[in-house]
Amino acid sequence: MARPRKPLLSRDRIVEAAGVLVDAEGLEAVSTRRLAAALGVSGPSLYNHFRTKDEILDAVADAVSSRVDLSMFEGGQDWRGALQAWAHSYRDALADHPNIVPVLARGPGRRPAGLRVADAVFGAMTEAGWPAAQATRIGALMRYFILGSAVGSFARGFVDDRAAYDPADYPHLGQAHLLAERQREVDEGAFETGLEALLDGLALQYEALTRPNRAGG
């Protein structure tokens, strides 16, 4: 009886396996040896698809970027609403993959999905009337904020132990031991507060930018 054939090795299979390793153990867990073992192949066969570990990690990062919704930049939505919706979609895409954030933070490089994100944001901002230089800064600013929010949890940085926050040493941290159990409320609330503040500030700049145009019209 013929033995079942192994699934053909492909870029997608390698990226999927690498993504599982990154999610579970971090970037350092990805190696030719670990991936080959997970895929049931010889190590050198991976080099038919990727030349280096960095190329594999780039592909994992791009797979995450491809899950970001960009439709809000195509439907004629106002720039503020589009940025707000995009920020939520981007953060949601990163929620289960925080370990890949350092790779995404390097910028899109040559990654197709990452470049599509950058193109969509920049295009929407310039079409809304933002000068090109400022549109570039807005894209960078939004990425800093979104990626930063996905790196870790502020709330989980505090231990669930009242004794760790002696009021003699930390008079204002009497409730800090409760933060960890309220992680979602704290972290999501912080993201919403920061996003609104960021967009409010941009709205003030946009008002100042467009006021002379309206007066002249």
Side-chain angles (χ1 to χ4, degrees), residues 129-151:
W130 287 98
Q134 187 66 350
T136 300
R137 296 185 192 111
I138 290 171
L141 170 63
M142 294 296 293
R143 286 185 69 260
Y144 295 154
F145 174 71
I146 298 164
L147 294 175
S149 75
V151 168

Side-chain angles (χ1 to χ4, degrees), residues 10-20 39 50 56 59-61 63:
S10 66
R11 287 178 64 91
D12 287 345
R13 285 191 66 213
I14 295 170
V15 170
E16 182 179 1
V20 170
L39 292 164
F50 295 97
I56 295 173
V60 173

Side-chain angles (χ1 to χ4, degrees), residues 164-209:
Y165 308 104
D166 189 328
D169 297 319
Y170 314 107
H172 305 296
L173 296 182
Q175 302 297 307
H177 65 288
L178 301 175
L179 290 174
E181 69 181 43
R182 299 175 182 172
Q183 178 206 334
R184 180 167 183 152
E185 176 187 351
V186 172
D187 291 344
E188 292 191 1
F191 180 77
E192 291 294 343
T193 299
L195 182 59
E196 286 298 320
L198 189 157
L199 294 174
D200 283 347
L202 288 176
L204 291 175
Q205 292 185 29
Y206 189 74
E207 175 72 17
L209 174 72

Side-chain angles (χ1 to χ4, degrees), residues 18-26 29 34 96 99:
V20 170
L21 276 176
V22 171
D23 288 343
E25 302 180 42
R34 291 288 303 276
D96 296 327
N99 290 338

Side-chain angles (χ1 to χ4, degrees), residues 69-151:
D69 183 14
L70 300 176
S71 63
M72 67 285 296
F73 296 118
E74 302 167 359
Q77 189 171 357
D78 69 280
W79 66 266
R80 176 176 176 144
L83 284 181
Q84 186 170 38
W86 170 63
H88 282 286
S89 177
Y90 202 168
R91 187 169 184 260
D92 288 346
L94 297 176
D96 296 327
H97 311 285
N99 290 338
I100 200 64
V101 170
V103 179
L104 287 164
R106 299 172 193 163
R110 298 176 182 271
R111 299 193 298 267
L115 289 170
R116 283 193 291 272
V117 171
D119 182 72
V121 176
F122 180 80
M125 295 305 100
T126 53
E127 288 173 10
W130 287 98
Q134 187 66 350
T136 300
R137 296 185 192 111
I138 290 171
L141 170 63
M142 294 296 293
R143 286 185 69 260
Y144 295 154
F145 174 71
I146 298 164
L147 294 175
S149 75
V151 168

